[in-house]
Amino acid sequence: MAAFEALVLAYEWPVYNIALRMLGSVQDAEDAVQEVFIKVYGSLASFRGDSKFSVWLYRIAGNVCVDFLRKRRIATVSLSSCDDAGGEYELEVCDESMSPEKVLDEHEQSAALQKALNKLPERYRSVLLLREIAGSSYEDIALTLGLDIGTVKSRIFRARKKLCKILTDDGNFCEFLPSDKSEGGEQA
Amino acid sequence: MSECDKIQALISAMLDGELGEDERRQVTGHIAHCDECAQLYESFAAVSRAIGEETRDMPAGLHDKIMTAVDVADKQRRLRRLNHNVRHFVGAAACLAVAVGAILAVRGHMMMGSSKSADAAPRAANYSAESTGTCDDAAQFSVEGIYSPAEVPAEGDEKSVLDQAAPEATDEPDAPVPEPDEAPLGSENELVTLNASDLKAKEIGYGSAQEERKISADLGAAESDYRIYLVEDDGSAVMCEIYLMDDEVWVLPDGGEPYLAELSAGEFIELIG
């Protein structure tokens, strides 16, 4: 267990931060990072060393995050109500307690960034976070996500372009620019 | 595709250090005189910087939570595997006992038929019973360390091994009767009684209530190593299943939530004598 703890110490920070930005919730990120390492420990025997350990680990982390997002999508609250004819029907609404903005808004800039990341499609968010937080190379991201390098390159480009646009549309982009550039107004 | 479109597609890769020297020179040359592409470069660099700067330190205690969660999950996994293996092993031993018994019975029948001796039948029956006893020993060996000897049933009855902690009284004269000193601690007639203060819960904070329920379900589904009475300070007693895992003692009170005891498995065994 001591050797495994050394691996946890090496990777817990990027895995936590990727989960935090993928899921937008501190609680979900804490749960996800625990689940990632439970899965990693349970599957260590199946790691054959064909790929880098980090590639294998981030693939597990990505799958766990996708599972969390999927569970969240189906986390709805059913409300019984009556229609005009007196018949009962079910109304499904999103469970607001799962909303990322509710949890991760302690810092304005961080909240703006998270809000924008939440609007990015998952396929763009995952490649961008692997690049920006884990510092993975395009080749490693391609191996992690089962894509070719060209797709990784174009997804990262599109992710950045969309993120700039979302931040600009939300009126938050100036916060992220150096002060001498932000006076210029609209960006990207 | 315009020159700017081509350059913009390369800007992102340049920020990530994924361009060769020629392409990098091409991009820097272009943005030196193109405001639109220079602005895009600044914007991409800004979001990249922001994501990097807005990372968080690990919350206090999360590392310990991870290690505890991994440890608990590993124990659950081993417990399930152990339980699975025991069921297969005991099942195989039971089948073997039945098969051997059947073969011997048939052989005995054939011997009786050929010799036409009056005492051949009881002799064959005795031989068969002895053989079954041998298979019981095999079954007993297969569960060594998990069940006390008297918990292993006669006649290779799998159900009684798996579904009950104490042996049922039997009227069969040939069934092996446990010696008094072999009586299991889990024997319902003679449960060891411990004080609640002997089995204090260790504070490990191993996760959410949901996780505790999962552990409870897993422990409840597995055969325990011991069954004891735990006497509270107010004199009330509760039956508890005891699971020894590595050097840890997990206590599952009847109708309660499981907990990890402060004392080690060695100390527990010493305590119950």
Side-chain angles (χ1 to χ4, degrees), chain B residues 74-125:
Chain B
D74 182 48
K75 284 184 170 61
Q76 286 179 272
R77 205 163 22 232
R78 278 164 33 206
L79 199 63
R80 275 195 296 271
R81 200 182 308 139
L82 195 65
N83 204 22
H84 176 80
N85 290 346
V86 165
R87 280 169 191 272
H88 276 262
F89 225 59
V90 172
C95 291
L96 190 64
V98 169
V100 170
I103 291 167
L104 292 173
V106 169
R107 189 182 287 178
H109 184 70
M110 288 168 68
M111 282 169 64
M112 188 177 67
S114 61
S115 67
K116 298 190 188 303
S117 167
D119 63 347
R123 209 170 47 230

Side-chain angles (χ1 to χ4, degrees), chain B residues 148-160:
Chain B
S148 303
E151 288 176 329
V152 179
E155 309 301 335
D157 180 358
E158 183 189 359
K159 186 177 187 300
S160 60

Side-chain angles (χ1 to χ4, degrees), chain B residues 128-169:
Chain B
S128 177
E130 282 166 17
S131 299
T132 308
T134 305
C135 288
D136 282 340
D137 293 342
Q140 187 172 317
F141 176 74
S142 75
V143 293
E144 191 181 4
I146 298 148
Y147 301 99
S148 303
E151 288 176 329
V152 179
E155 309 301 335
D157 180 358
E158 183 189 359
K159 186 177 187 300
S160 60
V161 171
L162 299 172
D163 299 340
Q164 68 185 38
E168 281 179 355

Side-chain angles (χ1 to χ4, degrees), chain B residues 149-250:
Chain B
E151 288 176 329
V152 179
E155 309 301 335
D157 180 358
E158 183 189 359
K159 186 177 187 300
S160 60
V161 171
L162 299 172
D163 299 340
Q164 68 185 38
E168 281 179 355
T170 172
D171 292 325
E172 292 290 324
D174 291 334
V177 178
E179 294 296 321
D181 60 348
E182 286 181 336
L185 291 161
S187 165
E188 284 176 1
N189 295 328
E190 200 185 335
L191 286 185
V192 166
T193 302
L194 294 179
N195 292 322
S197 57
D198 294 328
L199 283 183
K200 279 186 195 158
K202 189 177 182 179
E203 287 186 14
I204 56 167
Y206 55 85
S208 62
Q210 191 185 357
E211 193 176 10
E212 287 184 30
R213 281 198 297 276
K214 259 167 53 190
I215 294 167
S216 174
D218 279 3
L219 290 182
E223 289 291 341
S224 61
D225 295 301
Y226 295 98
R227 182 178 289 171
I228 61 154
Y229 273 129
L230 201 61
V231 181
E232 300 288 345
D233 294 340
D234 61 3
S236 61
V238 61
M239 192 185 283
C240 297
E241 304 285 353
I242 304 294
Y243 299 83
L244 304 184
M245 290 187 271
D246 291 338
D247 200 30
E248 291 180 339
V249 179
W250 285 82

